[in-house]
Amino acid sequence: MPKPSIVEQIEAVGFGRYQWIVMAAFVLFILSDGMELIVSNIIWRALPKEEWGMDDDFRAVLVSASYMGFFLGSIAGGIAGDWVGRLWIIYAHAIIFIPASILAACSNGMYQLLVTRFLVGLSMGALLPTCVSLVAEFSPRKQRGRAIIAIPGLAYASGVILILSVGLLLIGVCGEDGESCEWWRGMLLAGVIPDAIAIYIVLHYLEESPRFLLTRGRVEEAEESIRKIAALNETSDKLLEGGALEPLPEEDVSSESKPEKQLAHLFQPPVLNHMLIIMSSWTLLSASLFCAALIYPLVMEDQGVSTSGQYFLMIQWAAVEIPVVLLLMWLMEQSWAPRRGMIIVMGLLSTLVGVLAGLSLGSGLVWVHVTQLLFRMTAVGPYEFFYVYAAELLPTTHRNQGVSIGNGTTKFVALLLPLFMFPIYNAHHALPFYVAAAASAAAAGILIFLGTDPSADLLDVVSQVEASEETPLIKQKA
Protein backbone atom coordinates (compact mmCIF):
# COMPACT_ATOMS: atom_id res chain seq x y z
CA MET A 1 0.00 0.00 0.00
CA PRO A 2 1.49 3.39 -0.98
CA LYS A 3 2.38 5.94 1.66
CA PRO A 4 0.73 9.39 1.76
CA SER A 5 1.75 11.83 -0.97
CA ILE A 6 3.43 15.17 -0.36
CA VAL A 7 0.16 16.90 -1.33
CA GLU A 8 -1.76 14.97 1.33
CA GLN A 9 0.80 15.74 4.02
CA ILE A 10 0.95 19.46 3.20
CA GLU A 11 -2.84 19.59 3.45
CA ALA A 12 -2.71 17.70 6.77
CA VAL A 13 -0.07 20.07 8.22
CA GLY A 14 -2.25 23.06 7.32
CA PHE A 15 -1.45 26.76 7.34
CA GLY A 16 -0.38 27.84 10.80
CA ARG A 17 2.34 29.30 12.97
CA TYR A 18 5.23 28.04 10.83
CA GLN A 19 3.90 29.63 7.65
CA TRP A 20 3.12 32.93 9.40
CA ILE A 21 6.61 33.15 10.92
CA VAL A 22 8.39 32.35 7.67
CA MET A 23 6.14 34.67 5.68
CA ALA A 24 7.01 37.45 8.13
CA ALA A 25 10.68 36.90 7.29
CA PHE A 26 9.97 36.91 3.56
CA VAL A 27 7.91 40.10 3.85
CA LEU A 28 10.85 41.76 5.60
CA PHE A 29 13.20 40.57 2.86
CA ILE A 30 11.00 41.93 0.08
CA LEU A 31 10.37 45.08 2.09
CA SER A 32 14.07 45.72 1.50
CA ASP A 33 13.57 44.84 -2.16
CA GLY A 34 10.88 47.49 -2.55
CA MET A 35 13.16 50.03 -0.92
CA GLU A 36 16.27 49.19 -2.91
CA LEU A 37 14.89 49.08 -6.44
CA ILE A 38 13.63 52.67 -6.42
CA VAL A 39 16.12 54.39 -4.14
CA SER A 40 18.77 55.08 -6.82
CA ASN A 41 16.25 57.04 -8.87
CA ILE A 42 14.70 59.08 -6.07
CA ILE A 43 17.97 60.18 -4.43
CA TRP A 44 19.43 61.46 -7.70
CA ARG A 45 18.79 65.13 -6.91
CA ALA A 46 20.70 64.90 -3.64
CA LEU A 47 23.83 63.10 -4.92
CA PRO A 48 27.05 65.17 -5.26
CA LYS A 49 26.87 65.07 -9.05
CA GLU A 50 29.34 67.85 -9.76
CA GLU A 51 31.86 66.62 -7.19
CA TRP A 52 31.74 63.06 -8.55
CA GLY A 53 31.60 64.09 -12.21
CA MET A 54 28.15 62.64 -12.94
CA ASP A 55 26.02 64.05 -15.75
CA ASP A 56 22.32 63.44 -16.33
CA ASP A 57 23.03 60.47 -18.60
CA PHE A 58 24.62 58.65 -15.66
CA ARG A 59 21.22 58.61 -13.90
CA ALA A 60 19.95 55.96 -16.33
CA VAL A 61 23.13 53.91 -15.85
CA LEU A 62 22.86 54.06 -12.05
CA VAL A 63 19.19 53.05 -12.05
CA SER A 64 19.89 50.25 -14.53
CA ALA A 65 22.76 48.85 -12.42
CA SER A 66 20.41 47.55 -9.72
CA TYR A 67 18.17 45.94 -12.33
CA MET A 68 21.14 44.38 -14.10
CA GLY A 69 22.17 42.84 -10.80
CA PHE A 70 18.61 41.66 -10.19
CA PHE A 71 18.48 40.07 -13.65
CA LEU A 72 21.74 38.17 -13.23
CA GLY A 73 20.92 37.23 -9.65
CA SER A 74 17.55 35.84 -10.72
CA ILE A 75 19.09 33.60 -13.35
CA ALA A 76 21.97 32.34 -11.19
CA GLY A 77 19.94 32.01 -8.00
CA GLY A 78 17.02 30.32 -9.71
CA ILE A 79 19.13 27.64 -11.34
CA ALA A 80 21.18 27.07 -8.18
CA GLY A 81 18.02 26.93 -6.04
CA ASP A 82 16.73 23.92 -7.99
CA TRP A 83 20.15 22.24 -7.79
CA VAL A 84 21.33 22.76 -4.21
CA GLY A 85 18.17 23.84 -2.41
CA ARG A 86 16.20 26.95 -1.53
CA LEU A 87 17.89 27.61 1.81
CA TRP A 88 21.35 28.08 0.35
CA ILE A 89 20.10 30.89 -1.91
CA ILE A 90 18.73 32.80 1.06
CA TYR A 91 22.03 32.39 2.90
CA ALA A 92 23.93 33.66 -0.15
CA HIS A 93 21.65 36.71 -0.29
CA ALA A 94 22.48 37.56 3.32
CA ILE A 95 26.22 37.32 2.69
CA ILE A 96 26.04 39.82 -0.20
CA PHE A 97 23.20 42.22 0.63
CA ILE A 98 24.14 43.68 4.00
CA PRO A 99 27.84 44.42 3.23
CA ALA A 100 26.93 45.84 -0.20
CA SER A 101 24.26 48.13 1.28
CA ILE A 102 26.66 49.46 3.90
CA LEU A 103 29.37 50.07 1.29
CA ALA A 104 26.84 51.85 -0.94
CA ALA A 105 25.91 54.20 1.91
CA CYS A 106 29.63 54.91 2.43
CA SER A 107 30.30 55.64 -1.24
CA ASN A 108 32.99 58.21 -2.02
CA GLY A 109 32.60 58.19 -5.79
CA MET A 110 30.22 57.28 -8.56
CA TYR A 111 31.89 53.97 -9.41
CA GLN A 112 31.75 52.70 -5.84
CA LEU A 113 28.06 53.58 -5.77
CA LEU A 114 27.48 51.92 -9.15
CA VAL A 115 29.18 48.64 -8.20
CA THR A 116 27.56 48.36 -4.78
CA ARG A 117 24.10 49.07 -6.23
CA PHE A 118 24.74 46.28 -8.74
CA LEU A 119 25.63 43.88 -5.90
CA VAL A 120 22.52 44.84 -3.95
CA GLY A 121 20.42 44.04 -7.03
CA LEU A 122 22.30 40.75 -7.51
CA SER A 123 21.41 39.57 -4.01
CA MET A 124 17.77 40.64 -4.27
CA GLY A 125 17.39 38.96 -7.65
CA ALA A 126 18.34 35.59 -6.23
CA LEU A 127 16.07 36.05 -3.22
CA LEU A 128 12.60 37.00 -4.46
CA PRO A 129 11.83 33.99 -6.73
CA THR A 130 13.20 31.66 -4.06
CA CYS A 131 10.82 33.12 -1.48
CA VAL A 132 7.92 32.69 -3.91
CA SER A 133 8.87 29.04 -4.57
CA LEU A 134 9.16 28.25 -0.86
CA VAL A 135 5.79 29.84 -0.03
CA ALA A 136 4.14 27.90 -2.85
CA GLU A 137 5.69 24.63 -1.73
CA PHE A 138 4.79 24.70 1.97
CA SER A 139 1.30 26.21 1.61
CA PRO A 140 -1.92 24.15 1.40
CA ARG A 141 -4.02 24.55 -1.73
CA LYS A 142 -6.60 26.92 -0.20
CA GLN A 143 -4.07 29.45 1.13
CA ARG A 144 -1.39 29.09 -1.55
CA GLY A 145 -2.44 31.85 -3.95
CA ARG A 146 -2.99 34.42 -1.23
CA ALA A 147 0.29 33.55 0.49
CA ILE A 148 2.32 33.85 -2.71
CA ILE A 149 0.92 37.21 -3.77
CA ALA A 150 1.26 38.71 -0.29
CA ILE A 151 5.06 38.37 -0.50
CA PRO A 152 5.86 40.54 -3.53
CA GLY A 153 2.62 42.53 -3.43
CA LEU A 154 2.16 43.82 0.09
CA ALA A 155 5.86 43.75 0.98
CA TYR A 156 7.10 45.60 -2.09
CA ALA A 157 4.54 48.40 -1.73
CA SER A 158 5.30 48.69 1.98
CA GLY A 159 9.01 48.92 1.19
CA VAL A 160 8.47 51.78 -1.24
CA ILE A 161 6.32 53.61 1.32
CA LEU A 162 8.91 53.03 4.04
CA ILE A 163 11.90 54.30 2.05
CA LEU A 164 9.98 57.40 0.97
CA SER A 165 8.95 58.04 4.58
CA VAL A 166 12.58 57.69 5.66
CA GLY A 167 13.48 60.19 2.96
CA LEU A 168 10.90 62.68 4.20
CA LEU A 169 12.20 62.30 7.75
CA LEU A 170 15.82 62.83 6.70
CA ILE A 171 14.90 65.82 4.51
CA GLY A 172 13.07 67.32 7.48
CA VAL A 173 16.22 67.03 9.58
CA CYS A 174 18.83 67.95 6.95
CA GLY A 175 16.93 70.10 4.49
CA GLU A 176 16.36 69.32 0.82
CA ASP A 177 19.74 70.66 -0.25
CA GLY A 178 21.50 68.27 2.16
CA GLU A 179 24.03 70.88 3.21
CA SER A 180 23.83 69.99 6.91
CA CYS A 181 24.09 66.22 6.23
CA GLU A 182 24.12 63.86 3.28
CA TRP A 183 20.68 62.37 3.93
CA TRP A 184 20.77 60.15 0.85
CA ARG A 185 23.27 57.89 2.64
CA GLY A 186 20.64 57.06 5.25
CA MET A 187 18.24 56.01 2.51
CA LEU A 188 20.80 53.62 1.05
CA LEU A 189 21.32 52.11 4.50
CA ALA A 190 17.64 51.79 5.50
CA GLY A 191 17.09 48.39 3.87
CA VAL A 192 19.68 46.69 6.11
CA ILE A 193 17.46 46.71 9.21
CA PRO A 194 14.47 44.67 7.92
CA ASP A 195 16.83 42.34 6.08
CA ALA A 196 18.86 41.61 9.22
CA ILE A 197 15.70 40.80 11.19
CA ALA A 198 14.55 38.49 8.39
CA ILE A 199 17.87 36.64 8.39
CA TYR A 200 17.57 36.04 12.13
CA ILE A 201 14.10 34.50 11.64
CA VAL A 202 15.29 32.32 8.77
CA LEU A 203 18.24 30.95 10.74
CA HIS A 204 15.96 29.93 13.62
CA TYR A 205 12.84 28.67 11.84
CA LEU A 206 13.08 28.04 8.11
CA GLU A 207 13.14 24.44 6.87
CA GLU A 208 14.21 23.28 3.44
CA SER A 209 11.28 22.68 1.12
CA PRO A 210 10.04 19.09 1.61
CA ARG A 211 8.94 19.07 -2.03
CA PHE A 212 12.47 19.94 -3.17
CA LEU A 213 13.96 17.23 -0.91
CA LEU A 214 11.54 14.68 -2.32
CA THR A 215 12.49 15.47 -5.91
CA ARG A 216 16.14 14.88 -4.98
CA GLY A 217 15.36 11.46 -3.48
CA ARG A 218 16.03 12.67 0.10
CA VAL A 219 12.85 11.14 1.47
CA GLU A 220 13.89 10.91 5.13
CA GLU A 221 14.91 14.58 5.19
CA ALA A 222 11.60 15.55 3.56
CA GLU A 223 9.67 13.57 6.19
CA GLU A 224 11.66 15.24 8.98
CA SER A 225 10.93 18.67 7.47
CA ILE A 226 7.21 17.89 7.37
CA ARG A 227 7.27 16.77 11.02
CA LYS A 228 9.04 19.95 12.16
CA ILE A 229 6.53 22.15 10.34
CA ALA A 230 3.65 20.18 11.85
CA ALA A 231 5.16 20.49 15.32
CA LEU A 232 5.37 24.28 15.06
CA ASN A 233 1.80 24.38 13.70
CA GLU A 234 0.68 22.06 16.53
CA THR A 235 -0.81 19.67 13.97
CA SER A 236 1.45 16.66 14.49
CA ASP A 237 -1.59 14.58 15.40
CA LYS A 238 -3.06 15.26 11.94
CA LEU A 239 -0.08 13.90 10.02
CA LEU A 240 -0.83 10.78 8.02
CA GLU A 241 1.19 7.76 9.13
CA GLY A 242 3.41 9.97 11.27
CA GLY A 243 4.54 12.13 8.36
CA ALA A 244 5.67 9.29 6.08
CA LEU A 245 5.99 10.19 2.39
CA GLU A 246 5.65 8.15 -0.76
CA PRO A 247 8.88 8.52 -2.75
CA LEU A 248 8.67 9.84 -6.28
CA PRO A 249 9.30 7.30 -9.04
CA GLU A 250 12.99 6.49 -9.34
CA GLU A 251 13.05 7.41 -13.01
CA ASP A 252 11.79 10.92 -12.19
CA VAL A 253 14.39 11.42 -9.47
CA SER A 254 17.26 10.06 -11.56
CA SER A 255 16.27 12.17 -14.60
CA GLU A 256 16.80 15.33 -12.53
CA SER A 257 19.93 14.15 -10.72
CA LYS A 258 22.35 15.92 -13.06
CA PRO A 259 22.21 19.74 -13.36
CA GLU A 260 22.73 19.72 -17.12
CA LYS A 261 19.76 17.37 -17.61
CA GLN A 262 17.57 19.38 -15.29
CA LEU A 263 18.39 22.61 -17.09
CA ALA A 264 17.82 20.99 -20.48
CA HIS A 265 14.29 19.95 -19.45
CA LEU A 266 13.46 23.61 -18.88
CA PHE A 267 13.92 24.26 -22.59
CA GLN A 268 12.12 21.17 -23.87
CA PRO A 269 8.41 20.39 -24.12
CA PRO A 270 6.25 20.27 -22.08
CA VAL A 271 7.94 22.72 -19.64
CA LEU A 272 9.13 24.93 -22.49
CA ASN A 273 5.54 25.64 -23.51
CA HIS A 274 4.86 27.17 -20.11
CA MET A 275 8.19 29.00 -20.03
CA LEU A 276 7.45 30.76 -23.33
CA ILE A 277 4.14 32.02 -21.97
CA ILE A 278 5.70 33.12 -18.68
CA MET A 279 8.65 34.92 -20.24
CA SER A 280 6.73 36.71 -23.00
CA SER A 281 3.62 37.80 -21.10
CA TRP A 282 5.34 38.65 -17.81
CA THR A 283 8.00 40.65 -19.64
CA LEU A 284 5.40 42.72 -21.45
CA LEU A 285 3.49 43.37 -18.23
CA SER A 286 6.72 44.46 -16.56
CA ALA A 287 7.31 47.03 -19.31
CA SER A 288 4.03 48.64 -18.34
CA LEU A 289 4.64 48.52 -14.58
CA PHE A 290 8.27 49.66 -14.57
CA CYS A 291 7.64 52.36 -17.12
CA ALA A 292 5.10 53.89 -14.73
CA ALA A 293 7.61 53.64 -11.87
CA LEU A 294 10.47 55.20 -13.83
CA ILE A 295 8.59 58.04 -15.46
CA TYR A 296 6.47 59.16 -12.52
CA PRO A 297 9.36 60.98 -10.71
CA LEU A 298 10.17 62.79 -13.97
CA VAL A 299 6.53 63.83 -14.34
CA MET A 300 6.57 65.27 -10.83
CA GLU A 301 9.84 67.12 -11.49
CA ASP A 302 8.35 68.67 -14.64
CA GLN A 303 5.32 69.73 -12.63
CA GLY A 304 7.68 71.72 -10.38
CA VAL A 305 7.15 69.54 -7.31
CA SER A 306 9.87 69.80 -4.63
CA THR A 307 11.77 66.73 -3.47
CA SER A 308 9.76 66.44 -0.26
CA GLY A 309 6.52 67.06 -2.15
CA GLN A 310 7.51 64.45 -4.69
CA TYR A 311 8.15 61.89 -1.95
CA PHE A 312 4.79 62.65 -0.36
CA LEU A 313 2.96 62.11 -3.66
CA MET A 314 4.93 58.94 -4.34
CA ILE A 315 3.85 57.51 -0.98
CA GLN A 316 0.28 57.81 -2.21
CA TRP A 317 1.35 56.34 -5.55
CA ALA A 318 2.84 53.29 -3.80
CA ALA A 319 0.03 52.93 -1.25
CA VAL A 320 -2.62 52.34 -3.93
CA GLU A 321 -0.95 48.99 -4.61
CA ILE A 322 -2.05 47.63 -1.23
CA PRO A 323 -5.85 47.64 -1.86
CA VAL A 324 -5.17 46.14 -5.29
CA VAL A 325 -3.21 43.26 -3.74
CA LEU A 326 -5.92 42.72 -1.11
CA LEU A 327 -8.46 42.51 -3.94
CA LEU A 328 -6.27 39.97 -5.73
CA MET A 329 -5.99 37.90 -2.55
CA TRP A 330 -9.78 37.78 -2.39
CA LEU A 331 -10.07 36.88 -6.07
CA MET A 332 -7.68 33.96 -5.54
CA GLU A 333 -10.40 32.09 -3.67
CA GLN A 334 -13.23 32.71 -6.13
CA SER A 335 -14.14 29.83 -8.44
CA TRP A 336 -15.31 32.25 -11.14
CA ALA A 337 -11.91 34.01 -11.24
CA PRO A 338 -9.38 31.72 -13.01
CA ARG A 339 -5.74 32.78 -12.88
CA ARG A 340 -5.32 33.35 -16.60
CA GLY A 341 -8.66 35.11 -17.03
CA MET A 342 -7.95 37.63 -14.29
CA ILE A 343 -4.54 38.52 -15.75
CA ILE A 344 -6.17 39.08 -19.15
CA VAL A 345 -8.90 41.35 -17.76
CA MET A 346 -6.46 43.39 -15.68
CA GLY A 347 -4.03 43.67 -18.59
CA LEU A 348 -6.70 45.10 -20.87
CA LEU A 349 -7.82 47.53 -18.18
CA SER A 350 -4.20 48.66 -17.76
CA THR A 351 -4.08 49.36 -21.50
CA LEU A 352 -6.99 51.78 -21.31
CA VAL A 353 -5.70 53.57 -18.22
CA GLY A 354 -2.17 53.82 -19.67
CA VAL A 355 -3.52 55.73 -22.65
CA LEU A 356 -5.50 57.98 -20.30
CA ALA A 357 -2.35 58.66 -18.22
CA GLY A 358 -0.51 59.78 -21.33
CA LEU A 359 -3.34 62.05 -22.46
CA SER A 360 -3.56 63.68 -19.03
CA LEU A 361 -0.01 65.06 -18.98
CA GLY A 362 -1.09 68.40 -20.36
CA SER A 363 -3.52 68.90 -17.49
CA GLY A 364 -2.89 70.28 -14.00
CA LEU A 365 -0.99 68.51 -11.23
CA VAL A 366 -4.09 67.08 -9.53
CA TRP A 367 -5.44 65.39 -12.65
CA VAL A 368 -1.98 64.14 -13.64
CA HIS A 369 -1.47 62.66 -10.17
CA VAL A 370 -4.89 60.96 -10.17
CA THR A 371 -4.34 59.30 -13.54
CA GLN A 372 -0.87 58.17 -12.47
CA LEU A 373 -2.41 56.55 -9.39
CA LEU A 374 -4.98 54.77 -11.56
CA PHE A 375 -2.26 53.60 -13.94
CA ARG A 376 -0.22 52.25 -11.04
CA MET A 377 -3.25 50.35 -9.70
CA THR A 378 -4.08 48.71 -13.03
CA ALA A 379 -0.47 47.98 -14.04
CA VAL A 380 0.55 46.34 -10.77
CA GLY A 381 -2.37 43.88 -10.61
CA PRO A 382 -1.56 41.58 -13.56
CA TYR A 383 2.18 41.75 -12.86
CA GLU A 384 1.80 40.61 -9.24
CA PHE A 385 -0.77 37.97 -10.21
CA PHE A 386 1.87 36.42 -12.45
CA TYR A 387 3.93 35.29 -9.46
CA VAL A 388 1.11 32.91 -8.57
CA TYR A 389 0.46 31.90 -12.16
CA ALA A 390 4.12 31.04 -12.86
CA ALA A 391 4.68 29.20 -9.57
CA GLU A 392 1.62 27.01 -10.13
CA LEU A 393 2.37 26.21 -13.77
CA LEU A 394 5.86 24.80 -13.15
CA PRO A 395 6.88 21.58 -11.37
CA THR A 396 9.00 21.62 -8.20
CA THR A 397 12.06 20.41 -10.12
CA HIS A 398 11.97 23.60 -12.22
CA ARG A 399 9.88 26.03 -10.19
CA ASN A 400 12.70 28.07 -8.70
CA GLN A 401 14.64 28.45 -11.93
CA GLY A 402 11.49 28.92 -14.03
CA VAL A 403 10.08 31.67 -11.81
CA SER A 404 13.56 33.17 -11.55
CA ILE A 405 14.14 33.25 -15.31
CA GLY A 406 10.66 34.63 -15.90
CA ASN A 407 11.04 37.27 -13.22
CA GLY A 408 14.62 37.90 -14.30
CA THR A 409 13.51 38.77 -17.83
CA THR A 410 11.16 41.37 -16.35
CA LYS A 411 14.12 42.95 -14.57
CA PHE A 412 16.12 42.83 -17.81
CA VAL A 413 13.37 44.96 -19.32
CA ALA A 414 13.59 47.22 -16.27
CA LEU A 415 17.32 47.75 -16.75
CA LEU A 416 16.83 48.67 -20.42
CA LEU A 417 13.85 50.95 -19.86
CA PRO A 418 15.78 53.90 -18.35
CA LEU A 419 18.16 53.87 -21.29
CA PHE A 420 15.27 54.19 -23.75
CA MET A 421 12.38 55.71 -21.84
CA PHE A 422 14.22 58.72 -20.42
CA PRO A 423 15.18 59.96 -23.92
CA ILE A 424 11.72 59.08 -25.27
CA TYR A 425 10.10 61.00 -22.43
CA ASN A 426 12.29 64.01 -23.15
CA ALA A 427 11.24 63.87 -26.80
CA HIS A 428 7.52 63.38 -26.12
CA HIS A 429 6.23 63.14 -22.56
CA ALA A 430 3.18 60.99 -23.33
CA LEU A 431 4.91 58.41 -25.55
CA PRO A 432 6.24 56.15 -22.73
CA PHE A 433 2.69 55.70 -21.44
CA TYR A 434 1.43 54.71 -24.88
CA VAL A 435 4.25 52.18 -25.16
CA ALA A 436 3.32 50.79 -21.72
CA ALA A 437 -0.34 50.52 -22.75
CA ALA A 438 0.60 48.62 -25.91
CA ALA A 439 2.75 46.22 -23.86
CA SER A 440 -0.17 45.38 -21.56
CA ALA A 441 -2.43 44.76 -24.54
CA ALA A 442 0.14 42.43 -26.12
CA ALA A 443 0.50 40.44 -22.88
CA ALA A 444 -3.26 39.99 -22.65
CA GLY A 445 -3.37 38.87 -26.28
CA ILE A 446 -0.72 36.20 -25.74
CA LEU A 447 -2.63 34.76 -22.78
CA ILE A 448 -5.94 34.85 -24.66
CA PHE A 449 -4.67 32.84 -27.61
CA LEU A 450 -1.88 30.74 -26.10
CA GLY A 451 -2.25 30.64 -22.32
CA THR A 452 -3.53 27.85 -20.09
CA ASP A 453 -4.67 27.55 -16.47
CA PRO A 454 -2.47 25.76 -13.90
CA SER A 455 -3.38 22.58 -12.03
CA ALA A 456 -5.17 22.88 -8.67
CA ASP A 457 -2.38 20.89 -7.01
CA LEU A 458 1.29 21.74 -7.48
CA LEU A 459 3.20 19.42 -9.77
CA ASP A 460 6.58 18.08 -8.66
CA VAL A 461 8.31 16.47 -11.65
CA VAL A 462 8.35 16.91 -15.42
CA SER A 463 6.45 13.68 -16.04
CA GLN A 464 3.43 15.21 -14.27
CA VAL A 465 3.39 18.22 -16.58
CA GLU A 466 1.07 17.81 -19.53
CA ALA A 467 1.43 20.16 -22.45
CA SER A 468 -1.92 21.84 -23.03
CA GLU A 469 -3.72 20.50 -26.08
CA GLU A 470 -5.23 23.94 -26.60
CA THR A 471 -1.88 25.74 -26.76
CA PRO A 472 0.67 23.51 -28.50
CA LEU A 473 3.39 26.13 -28.93
CA ILE A 474 5.91 23.34 -29.45
CA LYS A 475 4.65 19.80 -29.91
CA GLN A 476 6.34 16.94 -28.13
CA LYS A 477 8.06 14.35 -30.25
CA ALA A 478 6.16 11.12 -30.51
Side-chain angles (χ1 to χ4, degrees), residues 186-216:
M187 295 186 70
L188 291 173
L189 196 60
V192 170
I193 297 174
D195 208 83
I197 298 172
I199 292 168
Y200 175 84
I201 296 173
V202 163
L203 290 174
H204 284 78
Y205 291 100
L206 185 61
E207 296 292 328
E208 181 59 88
S209 165
R211 285 182 177 272
F212 166 79
L213 293 170
L214 205 59
T215 63
R216 311 308 290 177

Side-chain angles (χ1 to χ4, degrees), residues 51 57-58 74 100 126 131 174 190 204 225 245 274 297 307 349-350 353 358 429-431 460 463:
E51 181 183 342
D57 292 336
F58 190 76
S74 292
C131 291
C174 301
H204 284 78
S225 179
L245 288 169
H274 296 320
T307 302
L349 182 60
S350 177
V353 179
H429 287 2
L431 191 56
D460 288 309
S463 65

Side-chain angles (χ1 to χ4, degrees), residues 170-389:
L170 292 172
I171 288 172
V173 173
C174 301
E176 292 198 11
D177 56 10
E179 290 183 357
S180 59
C181 66
E182 295 179 311
W183 53 265
W184 56 269
R185 296 186 186 275
M187 295 186 70
L188 291 173
L189 196 60
V192 170
I193 297 174
D195 208 83
I197 298 172
I199 292 168
Y200 175 84
I201 296 173
V202 163
L203 290 174
H204 284 78
Y205 291 100
L206 185 61
E207 296 292 328
E208 181 59 88
S209 165
R211 285 182 177 272
F212 166 79
L213 293 170
L214 205 59
T215 63
R216 311 308 290 177
R218 295 154 62 180
V219 180
E220 292 183 0
E221 293 177 62
E223 291 173 341
E224 183 62 22
S225 179
I226 283 287
R227 294 187 187 106
K228 288 181 178 179
I229 294 172
L232 199 56
N233 283 357
E234 298 182 351
T235 54
S236 297
D237 58 325
K238 296 183 180 180
L239 286 174
L240 307 176
E241 299 183 24
L245 288 169
E246 177 69 17
L248 295 172
E250 180 60 33
E251 58 270 23
D252 288 326
V253 174
S254 61
S255 68
E256 306 297 340
S257 60
K258 294 184 178 180
E260 60 272 18
K261 288 185 177 180
Q262 188 183 36
L263 186 60
H265 287 160
L266 194 66
F267 299 100
Q268 297 172 356
V271 179
L272 177 59
N273 295 328
H274 296 320
M275 284 302 302
L276 291 175
I277 296 295
I278 291 169
M279 293 174 67
S280 58
S281 298
W282 209 356
T283 297
L284 288 165
L285 291 172
S286 74
S288 181
L289 177 65
F290 293 131
C291 180
L294 288 168
I295 300 301
Y296 183 73
L298 303 185
V299 172
M300 293 297 99
E301 289 173 14
D302 287 341
Q303 291 285 331
V305 181
S306 66
T307 302
S308 56
Q310 180 182 328
Y311 284 13
F312 179 72
L313 292 177
M314 287 191 70
I315 288 174
Q316 300 173 34
W317 175 84
V320 297
E321 181 175 343
I322 294 176
V324 173
V325 173
L326 293 176
L327 174 63
L328 296 182
M329 293 172 69
W330 176 76
L331 287 172
M332 291 289 174
E333 309 308 319
Q334 309 307 312
S335 59
W336 49 265
R339 309 295 201 229
R340 179 172 66 107
M342 292 311 303
I343 297 174
I344 291 170
V345 170
M346 290 185 290
L348 294 175
L349 182 60
S350 177
T351 299
L352 296 176
V353 179
V355 173
L356 179 63
L359 294 173
S360 73
L361 293 181
S363 306
L365 176 60
V366 173
W367 180 241
V368 169
H369 181 57
V370 169
T371 54
Q372 294 297 317
L373 294 182
L374 291 174
F375 188 36
R376 171 70 176 179
M377 293 176 71
T378 55
V380 77
Y383 180 86
E384 299 292 1
F385 216 110
F386 230 97
Y387 282 103
V388 180
Y389 185 68

Side-chain angles (χ1 to χ4, degrees), residues 45-196:
R45 284 188 184 183
L47 292 175
K49 295 184 284 293
E50 292 185 7
E51 181 183 342
W52 289 1
M54 298 186 296
D55 56 23
D56 288 340
D57 292 336
F58 190 76
R59 181 177 190 172
V61 176
L62 181 62
V63 173
S64 294
S66 295
Y67 287 109
M68 173 60 84
F70 201 111
F71 167 67
L72 296 176
S74 292
I75 304 302
I79 294 173
D82 279 335
W83 290 352
V84 302
R86 316 320 193 200
L87 274 177
W88 285 105
I89 304 305
I90 295 179
Y91 296 155
H93 157 80
I95 293 171
I96 298 172
F97 178 84
I98 292 180
S101 295
I102 294 172
L103 289 172
C106 298
S107 293
N108 291 313
M110 64 179 184
Y111 294 113
Q112 180 181 346
L113 182 61
L114 185 68
V115 171
T116 53
R117 297 305 300 162
F118 168 81
L119 292 174
V120 166
L122 187 74
S123 68
M124 296 307 305
L127 177 71
L128 176 55
T130 301
C131 291
V132 169
S133 295
L134 275 167
V135 170
E137 290 164 6
F138 65 54
S139 294
R141 182 189 307 117
K142 183 177 180 181
Q143 291 86 6
R144 186 174 62 234
R146 287 180 294 179
I148 293 173
I149 207 165
I151 299 300
L154 295 178
Y156 186 89
S158 300
V160 173
I161 293 170
L162 182 58
I163 192 62
L164 291 168
S165 299
V166 170
L168 283 174
L169 177 63
L170 292 172
I171 288 172
V173 173
C174 301
E176 292 198 11
D177 56 10
E179 290 183 357
S180 59
C181 66
E182 295 179 311
W183 53 265
W184 56 269
R185 296 186 186 275
M187 295 186 70
L188 291 173
L189 196 60
V192 170
I193 297 174
D195 208 83

